[in-house]
Structures are given as C-alpha cells and as structure tokens.
Amino acid sequence: MKTIIAACSQNLSGSRASVQTALRTLLAAPWPSQRDVRAWLQLLSVLQWVLSFLLLGTVSLLLLIYLVFTRFWPISALYLAWIIFDWDTPEKGGRRLPCLRRWAVWRHFRDYFPVQLVKTHDLSPSHNYIIGSHPHGILCVGAFCNFITGSTGFGEMFPGIRPFLTTLAGNFRLPVFREYLMSGGLCPVTRRAIGYLLSENGTGNAVAIVIGGAAESLSCRPGITTLILKNRKGFVRMALQHGAYLVPSFSFGENDLFRQVVFEEGSWMRSIQQRFQKMMGFAPCVFYGRGLTSVRSRGFLPYARPITTVVGEPMMVPKIEDPSCEMVDMYHEMYIRSLLKLFNEHKTKYGLSETDELHIL
C-alpha cells in the first residue's frame, strides 16, 4: 500500500511540475503585438467581405432549397412569401441600416488597403446627383468602401447627402444576399430604381454608378487605365430627365488589387467571356490575389494597395423630360472632359506618373 501511495505522490508531483513548466513556457512566449492584431483584424474583415459577395447568395439559395426537403421546410416557405411581398423594395430605395454602415469591421476593411476619400467641391443637399464611378476594377472596392460604408467619412465631407451604389439587378433575386445589399444602400442599376431615387425620394441623393460595368473588368490590370465610356450614355440621359447633376469620381489604385489573366481580342477564351457577359450580365474574369496565410501565396484576397477616390466638381444639368440625342451627346462630351481633367490633375499625387494617360473606349 505504501508503495502505491508513494507512486501516486510521485506522479502528482511530476504532473504539477509539467503544468508549471508549460505555464512558464507559455508566459515566456512572445504575445502578438497590437500591430499584429490589427493586421489580422484587417485581413479577416476583407475575407468576410469577399466571401459575402462571392458565396452568400449562392449558399443561402442552396440552403433554402435543402430545407424544403426537411422538417424545417416552413423556413423556406416563409422566406419565399417574404420575398414575394418585398419584391419591389430594391427598386424603391431599398432598406438602409445606418448601424450596419457604421459597423466597426468597415474601419478595419478601410485600413487594410488603405482606402481614402478626397473631396474637391461641395455637394448641395438641395440637388440630386449621379456620381460616375471609375474604374470598375475586379470587385469595385473603392466604390463600396466610400459610398456604402461610413468608414471614409462621406457623411462628414458631404453633409446632407445620402449615397447609394448601383449593382446588377440579378443580385437582388438571391435570398439573404439581397437583404445584405440593401442594408448598406445598394440598389439595382435599372431605370426604375435610379429614377425613384432621383425623383421620388426628395433631394440630397447621390447615386453612384460604375459606368464601365462588367465589360470594363476584362481590361482591368495594373499599369493600364482603360475605361469603357464612349458609348455609355444612358446615365447622361437619366441625369437630363431628372435634372440630376453629374459628378465624376476616380479611384486611383483600383486596378492594382488583383492580377488578371487577360486574353487577347479575337481569342476563343475572350469570345467565351464576352458571350457569357451578354447572357448573364457580368464577365467571368480569371484573376488572383494574395492568399490568406501569406502575401507571397496566391489566393482570392485583394493585395493591400492604397486606393484614393477623388470626387470631382458637380456639373450642372438642366431638367429635360425628353432630351434629344444631340443634347445627350453634348453633356456626355462635357462629362468626359471633366473626368479627364480630374484624372490629369490628381494622377501624380496618387501613384501614377505624368506620362500615364486615361484611355476611353
């Protein structure tokens, strides 16, 4: 018996010594610095944003379909009824949640790149505006961060102005994802939705439109700034019909966030991309960024490159219910000149050289 007790005492002493040694080792190990913690928070904030835009709609749809065949089918039935009842809400200003726009995670999202908003002129709350957002890039990071989140101070720079950002109407047909989009102030890029904001929602509305759209993303690559704008005149016609002022904006650094495999014009891969774009409304890009664990690895996260969005001078536009083609062309040319002026005045301040040019197709 004494032998057994002595053995147990020896084991307990050994266990206590092992625990003490482990604790000393743990306490002696270097703890992550505040800088490391901030870097991980920034990386996670970008990760949740990328996953939300790439997977939230599809995963939610598949989950609701799966629930139909389980005892939880009432969840799918109730949500389907809700979507039918709420079908037109995206076309009528959406359902913004100011608390989500002020979500702390967006500050980490902003600081990851970082993203900066630059104001050049005041915007009066007594008017409505169409802000042309250029370039499209791959995921429109600059437009989202500046016009949808409050992290860059849009509300403080432009008091009394409510920013909205337009995106593909098909995104608002996906369950749960539509609620996520509307909560931040996104709306469909349709005449009905934009017309509602410019004529039936009072004044002080600024509707940001990424004019180049999906087609422009195919030309997105570092060192080359190409905009698809020459034949995009619908936004000018809408501005004339509603008397909304036109405001150019440019996000310097947007094209540096990803690397894209660009297929030459006339190649079979390029033709597949263009056909897919005509059918689905967006172009399938072959791109890559950094990985989750290392900057040197490849993945789907954007590279940390500074983005500076410069909002230019508002261009006064008269209200004409049925503008002629000549009138639309005139204001379209004025808008292009204003955008070129904005680009040339600020390009050397935000990473480009004096010889860099803005190509408009």
Side-chain angles (χ1 to χ4, degrees):
M1 178 63 73
K2 291 181 179 179
T3 304
I4 295 174
I5 293 173
C8 290
S9 299
Q10 186 176 1
N11 288 337
L12 289 173
S13 299
S15 299
R16 283 196 296 269
S18 299
V19 171
Q20 290 173 355
T21 303
L23 287 173
R24 281 195 296 268
T25 304
L26 181 62
L27 292 174
W31 287 80
S33 64
Q34 290 185 353
R35 182 178 180 181
D36 293 333
V37 172
R38 284 197 300 269
W40 273 103
L41 288 174
Q42 292 167 11
L43 191 64
L44 290 174
S45 68
V46 174
L47 176 64
Q48 66 82 27
W49 179 76
V50 172
L51 291 179
S52 296
F53 269 81
L54 295 181
L55 299 177
L56 181 59
T58 303
V59 171
S60 299
L61 178 60
L62 294 175
L63 178 60
L64 288 174
I65 293 174
Y66 168 75
L67 291 178
V68 169
F69 302 98
T70 69
R71 60 192 179 92
F72 299 104
W73 64 266
I75 296 176
S76 298
L78 288 173
Y79 190 79
L80 177 61
W82 163 252
I83 286 185
I84 294 173
F85 173 78
D86 196 54
W87 190 259
D88 290 334
T89 299
E91 303 275 354
K92 296 181 178 179
R95 190 167 39 247
R96 315 163 60 95
L97 295 178
C99 60
L100 190 140
R101 290 171 59 88
R102 295 192 298 266
W103 199 15
V105 74
W106 299 131
R107 293 196 296 272
H108 299 299
F109 179 87
R110 171 201 64 196
D111 294 338
Y112 170 83
F113 298 96
V115 182
Q116 178 187 5
L117 180 65
V118 175
K119 168 185 172 181
T120 61
H121 293 78
D122 291 329
L123 299 182
S124 171
S126 60
H127 302 291
N128 286 325
Y129 303 88
I130 290 181
I131 300 178
S133 180
H134 311 274
H136 182 283
I138 297 294
L139 293 178
C140 302
V141 173
F144 178 87
C145 191
N146 287 298
F147 302 129
I148 294 304
T149 79
S151 62
T152 56
F154 185 96
E156 291 74 25
M157 290 186 190
F158 303 102
I161 302 296
R162 294 181 297 275
F164 297 85
L165 179 63
T166 58
T167 185
L168 293 174
N171 290 328
F172 295 89
R173 304 297 179 250
L174 295 172
V176 182
F177 189 46
R178 69 191 294 274
E179 322 299 340
Y180 177 79
L181 295 177
M182 286 192 291
S183 64
L186 282 106
C187 63
V189 61
T190 61
R191 291 184 178 276
R192 183 185 176 193
I194 298 172
Y196 178 90
L197 293 173
L198 296 179
S199 62
E200 300 181 46
N201 199 42
T203 59
N205 301 294
V207 183
I209 303 175
V210 186
I211 297 168
E216 195 171 271
S217 64
L218 296 178
S219 303
C220 168
R221 44 184 162 167
I224 298 177
T225 309
T226 301
L227 304 183
I228 295 181
L229 178 60
K230 191 171 293 184
N231 295 318
R232 300 290 175 99
K233 301 179 182 180
F235 73 103
V236 177
R237 183 175 296 277
M238 289 207 69
L240 286 165
Q241 290 172 339
H242 298 282
Y245 289 12
L246 286 170
V247 183
S249 73
F250 195 93
S251 293
F252 294 91
E254 183 73 46
N255 285 349
D256 298 330
L257 304 183
F258 293 95
R259 301 291 182 267
Q260 183 179 178
V261 179
V262 179
F263 302 102
E264 297 297 329
E265 288 291 344
S267 65
W268 65 274
M269 279 298 296
R270 187 73 167 194
S271 63
I272 290 176
Q273 288 177 315
Q274 292 171 342
R275 289 177 184 175
F276 193 93
Q277 177 192 330
K278 289 179 180 179
M279 291 188 296
M280 304 300 294
F282 65 94
C285 301
V286 180
F287 66 90
Y288 64 90
R290 60 157 291 178
L292 182 61
T293 58
S294 171
V295 178
R296 297 180 182 85
S297 62
R298 291 189 179 184
F300 55 87
L301 293 178
Y303 292 107
R305 302 287 187 269
I307 303 172
T308 303
T309 301
V310 183
V311 178
E313 181 179 4
M315 192 174 80
M316 187 181 299
V317 174
K319 184 175 182 179
I320 305 173
E321 291 186 5
D322 187 20
S324 64
C325 293
E326 291 77 13
M327 183 69 70
V328 172
D329 290 342
M330 182 182 73
Y331 279 95
H332 186 262
E333 286 296 325
M334 291 171 61
Y335 177 84
I336 290 178
R337 287 198 298 270
S338 181
L339 177 62
L340 288 170
K341 179 184 176 184
L342 178 74
F343 177 83
N344 290 323
E345 285 181 352
H346 294 88
K347 62 183 180 182
T348 56
K349 300 177 187 176
Y350 304 116
L352 300 180
S353 67
E354 190 65 44
T355 57
D356 284 324
E357 297 182 354
L358 186 63
H359 303 280
I360 297 179
L361 301 179

